[in-house]
Structures are given as structure tokens and as C-alpha cells.
Amino acid sequence: MMSNLITTRTPFLIAAEINTIKQQVGIIFLQSTIEIGSRLKEARELLQYGEWSKWLEDSVSYSQKTAERMIRIFEEYGPKQLESSDAQSPATDTQAQDLPNLNFTQALILLGVPEEVRGEFIAELDIDNITTRELQKKVNDWKLAREERDQARQENIGLRKVVNEQANQITHLTEAYDNLITKSEELSESNRVLEQETGKRQAELERVKDRASYKTVEKMSKRLTDVYNKAVANKVAFLYGNLEKTYKELMWEMQELATKEPETHRIFKKNVTDFLIKSLKENVDTENKQA
């Protein structure tokens, strides 16, 4: 009876034994690949340029693709995987313990995860019991999530760039508006000074009329009129110069705005057009009344 209990074997038990042996073979194969990759890398560094492929074919019967894959396996897993076999030793580097005893297939699949996060990624898996298909899906899902995260970051950077550009445009428009306000204040001050000067001249004329002959008064009046007309002409020239400069600056800024913010340009264009039409109409009405 006891003999039957010991020797009784089931398909489930046999499958478990096979999978255990497969895992052990995979681990041994990975360790062997790491050892071979180490030596292939050493040989490649010793060979002259152009001798690598021929040496592989003649000496070890490897294709260059196979050799390069073995070298990469060594570079990615070599130190850590070799040290992990001594993980129970107190002197072992803790970084080496980030990686369990992977088999060759698992190591190949996990190359899809960058080295700096691979240990953390593996720690979240039941690496001893996960199937190859499940592991490949985990890696693919991780890659997709990383791509979506990177894309979201890029979109966020692009959005911040647009916001900064709009903020710069608003700042520029605000500065232009403040400049117009300053010029308007300067014009008002200039007009006040001219009015004061005109008032002084008129007062002077009245005093001259009181104490001089008609001829002298007439000459002074003509002089005053010339001075006044010249002052008015200077004022008009000053205003026209500032108006022309401001209009050119406005047109240039409107062209810049049209390429970057078409909707905002349309609004300002309508406001400017309405302002010009209204101003021209008021000017025509004034001239008609004066006529």
C-alpha cells in the first residue's frame, strides 16, 4: 500500500516535473549564454576591424546576429545574473538581488523593459509561475502605457508652449496699449501747452491794441495769426506723424496676429475698420456743416 502511494504518478505531477526541468534548463541556458556573451565581447575587442564576422563563422559557427544577441544578454544581465546565484551571501551587492533566476526566454522578453526599471518591473511579477505568453503581454502592456505617458507629456509640453505664446502676445498687446495711452497723454499735454501759448498771445494782442496805433496793432495781429497758424500746423504735423507711425505699427501687429490667432485678428480687424469708417463719416459731416 505504501509502495503504491510513493510510485503513483499523475499527468499533473509529470507536467509539473517537466515545467520544473524546463525552468532549470532555461536558467542554465541563460547562464551559459551570459558566459559565452562575455567571451564573445572579449574576442570582438581583440579582433581587427572587418575580422569579426569571419572569426565567428570559422571559429564558433555563430552568425553575427546570434553573437550580438549573446553579447547584449551578457551586457544586460551578466553581472547581476551571475551575482544573483550568490544572493544568499551577506556580501552580495543588493542591486544584484533585483533580478531573480530568469530563464533564457524570460531574459529575452524582458529586454523590452529598460534596465533602470527592469528590476522594479520584475519585482511586481510572480516570475517563477508566469507563462511566457503572460510575460510577453505584461511587457507589451508596459510599453503601451509608457508610450501613452510620453505622448501625454509631449502634448502637455505643447500645450504649455501655446499658453506661453498666448501670454507673450497678451503682454505685447498690453505694452502696445500702454504705449498708445502714453502717446495720447503726450498729445494732450502738447495741446494744453499750445492753448496756453495761444491765450498768452491773445492777451498780449489785447494789451498792444490798447496802447498802439491801428497799424501797429494790425501788424501785431498778422504776426500773431502767423504764429498761431504755424503752431497749429506743427501740432497737425506732430499728430499726423504719430498717427502714421501708430497705424503702421497696428498694421504690422495685425499681420502677426493673423498668422497666429486668426479669430482674435478678425475681431480686432472689425473694430479697427468700424473705427476708421466712423471717423471718416464724422469728418465728412463736420466739413459739410462748416461749408
Side-chain angles (χ1 to χ4, degrees), residues 159-173:
L159 180 61
R160 286 203 301 268
K161 182 179 180 181
V162 171
V163 171
N164 290 336
E165 289 178 352
Q166 291 180 346
N168 290 335
Q169 291 176 4
I170 292 173
T171 300
H172 185 71
L173 290 174

Side-chain angles (χ1 to χ4, degrees), residues 22 78 91 126 219 268:
K22 284 171 60 179
D126 184 4
K219 184 184 295 185
F268 276 104

Side-chain angles (χ1 to χ4, degrees), residues 212-229:
S213 63
Y214 174 78
K215 185 175 182 180
T216 302
V217 171
E218 185 178 24
K219 184 184 295 185
M220 182 64 68
S221 177
K222 184 177 183 303
R223 178 184 174 190
L224 179 61
T225 300
D226 291 342
V227 170
Y228 176 79
N229 290 340

Side-chain angles (χ1 to χ4, degrees), residues 36-182:
I36 294 172
S38 172
R39 288 159 176 77
L40 287 172
K41 182 178 181 180
E42 181 183 8
R44 186 178 62 181
E45 293 172 352
L46 294 174
L47 291 169
Q48 297 295 323
Y49 179 78
E51 296 178 351
W52 174 234
S53 296
K54 187 174 185 307
W55 180 87
L56 286 172
E57 182 178 354
D58 294 344
S59 302
V60 293
S61 300
Y62 283 152
S63 67
Q64 185 168 342
K65 181 178 179 181
T66 299
E68 296 293 344
R69 185 169 64 176
M70 288 182 172
I71 291 174
R72 187 182 177 197
I73 290 290
F74 163 70
E75 291 175 340
E76 294 285 340
Y77 297 104
K80 293 182 180 180
Q81 192 70 8
L82 293 176
E83 289 177 4
S84 67
S85 62
D86 299 326
Q88 296 180 353
S89 173
T92 302
D93 187 351
T94 55
Q95 189 177 14
Q97 300 179 33
D98 290 342
L99 298 178
N101 285 328
L102 302 174
N103 62 42
F104 181 76
T105 303
Q106 291 171 334
L108 279 180
I109 294 174
L110 288 169
L111 286 177
V113 180
E115 182 181 4
E116 60 270 17
V117 296
R118 191 180 298 141
E120 181 180 351
F121 179 81
I122 294 174
E124 296 177 356
L125 304 175
D126 184 4
I127 200 68
D128 293 330
N129 298 312
I130 193 170
T131 65
T132 299
R133 181 177 299 178
E134 290 171 341
L135 179 59
Q136 185 65 67
K137 185 178 185 304
K138 291 284 187 181
V139 172
N140 291 340
D141 291 345
W142 182 89
K143 286 182 178 179
L144 180 60
R146 187 184 181 96
E147 290 174 359
E148 291 175 349
R149 184 201 65 185
D150 292 343
Q151 182 179 357
R153 286 180 176 176
Q154 290 298 322
E155 291 175 353
N156 188 37
I157 292 173
L159 180 61
R160 286 203 301 268
K161 182 179 180 181
V162 171
V163 171
N164 290 336
E165 289 178 352
Q166 291 180 346
N168 290 335
Q169 291 176 4
I170 292 173
T171 300
H172 185 71
L173 290 174
T174 302
E175 291 175 351
Y177 175 77
D178 292 341
N179 189 33
L180 288 174
I181 293 298
T182 301

Side-chain angles (χ1 to χ4, degrees), residues 271-289:
N271 292 340
V272 172
T273 302
D274 292 344
F275 172 78
L276 292 175
I277 292 174
K278 180 180 178 182
S279 298
L280 289 174
K281 183 175 181 303
E282 290 176 353
N283 186 52
V284 171
D285 292 341
T286 300
E287 291 183 352
N288 289 337
K289 288 180 181 179

Side-chain angles (χ1 to χ4, degrees), residues 1-9:
M1 185 68 175
M2 181 64 70
S3 176
N4 290 335
L5 289 175
I6 295 175
T7 59
T8 298
R9 296 174 61 76

